[in-house]
Amino acid sequence: QLQLVESGGGLVQPGGSLRLSCTASGFTLDYYAIGWFRQAPGKEREGVSCISSSGSSTNYGDSVKGRFTISRDNAKNTVYLQMNSLKPEDTAVYYCVARRSRVCALKDEYTYWGRGTQVTVSS
């Protein structure tokens, strides 16, 4: 079984920070591009960030550019999303996604999806 498990979500004040983690089991992430998508109630799924299999390149959605940072530690089979300067509009369920590809894209073309972790930004 190939699984992705997200963690690190929770409630945070506006302007605060969270770090999400995505850990794979059943396969190694070495050969997979990884992305983070999010979906808020009543809104379409949005690509947040992605990282190539080697970690050499990254992409960010315009709404999070400069605030979020994606990284990976293939030795730990884990990908991270550091979220700073959080805004209420960042509230959503965040999903870790993977596809067997060197390159990543902020498109809904990923094979494996985690179950998601809730991020709520509110005072």
Side-chain angles (χ1 to χ4, degrees), residues 23 43 117:
T23 300
K43 305 201 72 174
T117 185

Side-chain angles (χ1 to χ4, degrees), residues 10-119:
L11 175 64
V12 66
Q13 300 289 324
S17 298
L18 285 173
R19 188 180 72 161
L20 305 183
S21 298
C22 172
T23 300
S25 63
F27 66 106
T28 176
L29 291 181
D30 291 12
Y31 311 105
Y32 290 80
I34 308 296
W36 288 95
F37 284 71
R38 67 186 183 186
Q39 188 162 27
K43 305 201 72 174
E44 293 185 353
R45 191 160 50 235
E46 175 187 15
V48 176
S49 183
C50 66
I51 188 166
S52 63
S53 60
S54 68
S56 62
S57 63
T58 58
N59 292 324
Y60 296 93
D62 289 340
S63 64
V64 307
K65 196 170 298 182
R67 299 188 297 121
F68 291 10
T69 303
I70 191 170
S71 62
R72 66 190 299 160
D73 186 342
N74 284 353
K76 297 180 179 179
N77 229 23
T78 299
V79 175
Y80 305 96
L81 183 68
Q82 179 67 47
M83 306 186 297
N84 299 325
S85 301
L86 283 163
K87 305 174 181 180
E89 48 263 46
D90 294 318
T91 297
V93 177
Y94 284 71
Y95 298 91
C96 177
V97 300
R99 71 180 187 185
R100 190 174 175 86
S101 174
R102 292 179 62 186
V103 300
C104 78
L106 295 180
K107 301 178 180 179
D108 192 10
E109 298 176 346
Y110 288 84
T111 305
Y112 304 103
W113 289 70
R115 294 188 180 276
T117 185
Q118 177 71 48
V119 172

